[in-house]
Amino acid sequence: MILFLAGTSDARELAIEMQQVGYKVLATVVTESAAKSLQDAGISTRIGRLSAEDMTSLISAKGFQAVVDASHPFAEEASKNALNGAKAANVPYIRYERESQRFQNDKLIVVR
């Protein structure tokens, strides 16, 4: 089973793809709406923030084989806790980074 930190629409799609190819996934999210979106797609969820110690305990208790961090790019604390929790539980930590957006100068208006 994989502990999956979901924080974006990209994360939802990745969790669905992983489950479709045979990986059992438990997604952690912060909001009810994010959980509902994943649950509607058949993904098991856990709602609420987790400290590094919480992550370590959850990984050990459920026997997770890896942590996939697809949290929001600005969720630095969640990523740090996931990395430390995975390290303490001695399981692989994988960070999913979505492609950066680039804007053409003629379509970007900077307001100061």
Side-chain angles (χ1 to χ4, degrees):
M1 183 181 279
I2 295 172
L3 180 59
F4 190 94
L5 280 72
T8 64
S9 58
D10 294 354
R12 179 184 179 277
E13 297 306 315
L14 180 59
I16 292 168
E17 284 186 42
M18 290 176 69
Q19 190 150 291
Q20 286 176 343
V21 297
Y23 293 100
K24 190 167 176 136
V25 174
L26 173 68
T28 64
V29 295
V30 178
T31 66
E32 294 280 339
S33 61
K36 179 159 179 18
S37 172
L38 288 160
Q39 291 164 350
D40 288 348
I43 306 290
S44 297
T45 62
R46 183 196 180 284
I47 303 168
R49 298 183 190 280
L50 296 167
S51 67
E53 294 80 18
D54 294 335
M55 294 252 186
T56 303
S57 295
L58 183 60
I59 292 165
S60 297
K62 299 280 188 181
F64 289 106
Q65 298 168 327
V67 174
V68 173
D69 179 3
S71 61
H72 192 279
F74 298 127
E76 294 174 17
E77 189 70 22
S79 291
K80 182 175 124 182
N81 289 342
L83 176 62
N84 290 332
K87 185 176 182 180
N90 199 32
V91 298
Y93 168 87
I94 302 161
R95 172 72 186 159
Y96 169 76
E97 294 279 339
R98 63 181 168 177
E99 193 173 312
S100 295
Q101 291 184 331
R102 299 190 188 269
F103 300 96
Q104 295 178 1
N105 289 339
D106 62 335
K107 294 185 180 186
L108 180 63
I109 300 170
V110 178
V111 178
R112 294 179 194 217

